[in-house]
Amino acid sequence: MSTTTTSRRTSPWERPLASYQLVLGSSALLLGLGLIMVLSASSIFARLNYGNSFAIVERQLIFAVIGLFGAYVAAHVPLHVLRKMILPFLIISILLILATFIPGVGIEVHGNRNWLPLVGGFRLQPSEFAKLALVLWMADLYARRRKQLDTPRLILTPMVPVAGAVAMLVVFQHDLGTALVLFALIVGMLWVAGLPGRQMGAMLAGLFVLLVFAVATSPERVSRLLNFTNPEADPDFKGFQAIHGMMALARGGFWGVGLGGSRQKWGSLPEAHTDFILAVIGEELGLLGTLVVLALFVFLAIGGMRIATRTRDPFVHYAAAGITMWIVIQAVINIGMVLGLLPVIGIPLPLISYGGSSLLVTLVAMGILINCAKTEPGAKRALAAGRANRGRARVLQRR
């Protein structure tokens, strides 16, 4: 009996910092792998377009450094201070999205008008910031109404009108991938808040109608959807990217052809270092490499949901659940797209794909998730004990 009790006490899953370490470790490994693969996947493209094989990864490194600083701040700022910043952050994000529609200000890339120019040739994607702003705003709203969430009206309003309006703005930017993540996030947060089944069914039906409308009003999206079922029907145009992504995965086999050995990144695979970077991972690192990526996202999801279920802070409960759902939903859409299980809609793989705005916001979100992990029972005491032990070890070393 005592042996069983001791084993339970010493189980890694029962430690106060288990969730903290899962989130920190998995996100750090994904970031490191992402930087390596961005360098590998973009080197040829960067050499041909910028005369420097490191041009793309250097930009990614800049945003990674800024993002890590933001993550550090987000991991240490008191949560009550963070909550005071949420509404201004959401308003600024919406204003920046609206600015993309101003002629001469917004920049259109690949048919999506969702960029704003920055200095030095850098660009900002406001819709990425809106993801985090909406998650935190919804978490704060539901935390303040936690005793009233047995009333469906207070779950739906004003969350659905505000979040739905932001998602529709993104649809009007022609960025269906980001809009799809926002719609899924709305449904996920309604589920976490406990919306009854009848109202949830009505919401799902309404969102389905909106998505059908968004697809039907764009000939490009209609052709992508139709081509999804049979990309070989148009192998030189609509099905080109999907086919070459599958070719990369097939060539990699289980062990891969080796880091840097991809053929598809030499121009055959569009967006090799952005939306389709998983195909390059599959070609160079094989099925083993892709399984490692999947495992890291699973560990991140487990850590995030542990925080959401173990915390006693209502805001942390909703914020951790929302951030975790956002990252997992986006990863699932990207992976499904590369594997041919979903239509090609263009969306980055979190922490891995090239994209400054996406990387910056995701790292800050990871910092907030780490901050949330400190609210688990015993977590702060364990962190303080760890710091004290390290301090004593340094003192002993000096002696």
Side-chain angles (χ1 to χ4, degrees):
M1 187 74 174
S2 60
T3 305
T4 305
T5 304
T6 303
S7 65
R8 285 179 180 174
R9 286 178 181 174
T10 57
S11 171
W13 295 105
E14 295 302 321
R15 293 175 182 173
L17 294 180
S19 304
Y20 179 96
Q21 291 163 346
L22 277 172
V23 172
L24 181 61
S26 57
S27 57
L29 289 172
L30 284 168
L31 175 62
L33 177 62
L35 290 172
I36 293 171
M37 293 312 303
V38 166
L39 171 60
S40 178
S42 69
S43 57
I44 306 303
F45 176 86
R47 181 69 178 177
L48 294 174
N49 289 272
Y50 302 102
N52 176 12
S53 299
F54 300 97
I56 299 294
V57 75
E58 285 172 355
R59 293 186 173 212
Q60 189 79 338
L61 276 170
I62 291 173
F63 280 100
V65 171
I66 298 172
L68 286 171
F69 175 76
Y72 179 83
V73 173
H76 291 84
V77 65
L79 290 175
H80 70 273
V81 175
L82 176 67
R83 292 179 69 174
K84 292 179 181 178
M85 302 165 60
I86 292 173
L87 184 58
F89 181 35
L90 177 62
I91 293 172
I92 291 171
S93 299
I94 294 173
L95 291 176
L96 289 175
I97 291 176
L98 291 172
T100 63
F101 295 100
I102 301 175
V105 176
I107 299 175
E108 185 172 316
V109 178
H110 301 311
N112 296 349
R113 192 177 183 83
N114 55 356
W115 299 91
L116 293 175
L118 296 176
V119 296
F122 290 94
R123 294 191 296 255
L124 185 74
Q125 188 175 357
S127 57
E128 291 292 337
F129 294 85
K131 294 176 187 175
L132 179 57
L134 279 175
V135 167
L136 296 178
W137 177 75
M138 288 186 282
D140 182 64
L141 175 68
Y142 287 147
R144 286 186 284 107
R145 292 184 173 182
R146 62 187 181 278
K147 296 181 180 179
Q148 303 170 301
L149 294 182
D150 54 346
T151 305
R153 178 179 60 83
L154 295 179
I155 297 177
L156 292 168
T157 57
M159 191 278 266
V160 172
V162 172
V166 175
M168 288 308 298
L169 284 175
V170 175
V171 171
F172 294 141
Q173 289 181 321
H174 304 293
D175 187 357
L176 186 60
T178 300
L180 186 61
V181 172
L182 291 176
F183 284 134
L185 189 55
I186 292 171
V187 173
M189 289 300 286
L190 290 174
W191 173 71
V192 173
L195 186 68
R198 181 180 298 180
Q199 286 83 357
M200 182 65 80
M203 278 297 307
L204 288 172
L207 289 176
F208 178 76
V209 171
L210 284 176
L211 286 174
V212 170
F213 171 78
V215 172
T217 54
S218 171
E220 171 70 16
R221 294 172 191 153
V222 172
S223 64
R224 282 190 181 189
L225 185 62
L226 294 176
N227 183 261
F228 158 66
T229 57
N230 185 22
E232 292 82 4
D234 190 4
D236 296 324
F237 189 47
K238 297 298 182 183
F240 187 86
Q241 191 174 27
I243 290 173
H244 282 266
M246 295 303 296
M247 288 172 62
L249 293 171
R251 181 170 180 260
F254 185 81
W255 298 107
V257 298
L259 190 63
S262 170
R263 292 180 183 174
Q264 295 300 323
K265 70 182 182 184
W266 285 76
S268 299
L269 178 63
E271 311 297 335
H273 57 288
T274 56
D275 300 341
F276 267 71
I277 195 168
L278 185 67
V280 178
I281 293 175
E283 185 176 7
E284 295 189 348
L285 304 183
L287 176 61
L288 181 62
T290 58
L291 290 176
V292 168
V293 172
L294 291 175
L296 289 174
F297 278 113
V298 169
F299 289 142
L300 181 58
I302 292 172
M305 296 315 295
R306 276 173 57 90
I307 296 168
T309 54
R310 289 164 60 90
T311 185
R312 297 168 185 165
D313 187 320
F315 171 73
V316 170
H317 169 70
Y318 293 112
I323 290 172
T324 304
M325 287 190 295
W326 153 33
I327 300 301
V328 171
I329 289 168
Q330 186 165 323
V332 167
I333 293 174
N334 177 275
I335 293 169
M337 176 183 72
V338 174
L339 296 179
L341 303 175
L342 294 173
V344 177
I345 55 176
I347 193 169
L349 187 60
L351 294 171
I352 293 184
S353 292
Y354 171 74
S357 298
S358 175
L359 180 62
L360 173 59
V361 173
T362 306
L363 285 173
V364 172
M366 292 301 98
I368 294 173
L369 199 55
I370 289 170
N371 199 343
C372 291
K374 297 176 186 178
T375 67
E376 284 194 37
K380 288 185 178 180
R381 287 196 303 272
L383 283 171
R387 285 192 293 266
N389 290 334
R390 288 192 296 271
R392 283 193 293 268
R394 284 194 293 267
V395 171
L396 291 173
Q397 286 175 353
R398 288 173 189 153
R399 292 179 180 176

